[in-house]
Amino acid sequence: MNPAVEESVPAIPLIDFVRPLPGFPGLTQFALVQVDDDGLLSELRSVEDSDLSFLVLPPGPFFPDYAPEIGDDVVEDLGVTSPDEVIPLVIVNAGDTLATTTVNLLAPVLVNTARRTACQVILDEDLSVRAPLQA
């Protein structure tokens, strides 16, 4: 690759999961790859299993009141020192159309942006695993 081009290509952020995703033991390193030009939709792609990826997005633009409560154990596992370091991402269940697309609000992926660590938590709240995506 041309060195000038190499410098302009952004590095793909790698994220280490402090606990494997439920159902995927042993897979702890993922790349977060932006999918759309708006920067909302991303792909969480396993580095260890090239066939495994999840579409994720920040819930704020679609669910402005979404504010999951994070337990002290998760804060400690992620090495969080400030609430500003953590961003929630919700896993997208792609439908045939935007109207049939849903997201999992019950089990967000929490990312510590300062340390590039993450974990998926199952919240002790009454939230849907198939919440319709709202514009």
Side-chain angles (χ1 to χ4, degrees), residues 45-59:
R45 188 180 304 160
S46 173
V47 173
E48 296 122 336
D49 180 348
S50 61
D51 293 331
L52 181 66
S53 67
F54 302 94
L55 289 176
V56 295
L57 55 79

Side-chain angles (χ1 to χ4, degrees), residues 30-115:
F30 287 78
L32 189 60
V33 182
Q34 184 177 323
V35 173
D36 67 346
D37 292 336
D38 296 329
L40 285 179
L41 190 62
S42 296
E43 181 182 20
L44 193 58
R45 188 180 304 160
S46 173
V47 173
E48 296 122 336
D49 180 348
S50 61
D51 293 331
L52 181 66
S53 67
F54 302 94
L55 289 176
V56 295
L57 55 79
F62 303 96
F63 302 91
D65 296 331
Y66 184 72
E69 297 218 8
I70 303 167
D72 291 341
D73 60 328
V74 174
V75 170
E76 186 176 323
D77 287 350
L78 290 176
V80 176
T81 58
S82 165
D84 297 336
E85 292 176 354
V86 179
I87 60 165
L89 297 173
V90 291
I91 294 178
V92 177
N93 304 303
D96 292 333
T97 66
L98 186 59
T100 60
T101 297
T102 63
V103 296
N104 182 344
L105 295 177
L106 183 63
V109 173
L110 304 175
V111 180
N112 179 334
T113 57
R115 292 186 177 215

Side-chain angles (χ1 to χ4, degrees), residues 3 8 12 14 16 18 21 23 25 27 30-31 49 60 81 95 103 107 119 132:
S8 67
I12 296 174
L14 292 181
D16 289 311
V18 295
L21 289 165
L27 302 179
F30 287 78
D49 180 348
T81 58
V103 296
C119 69

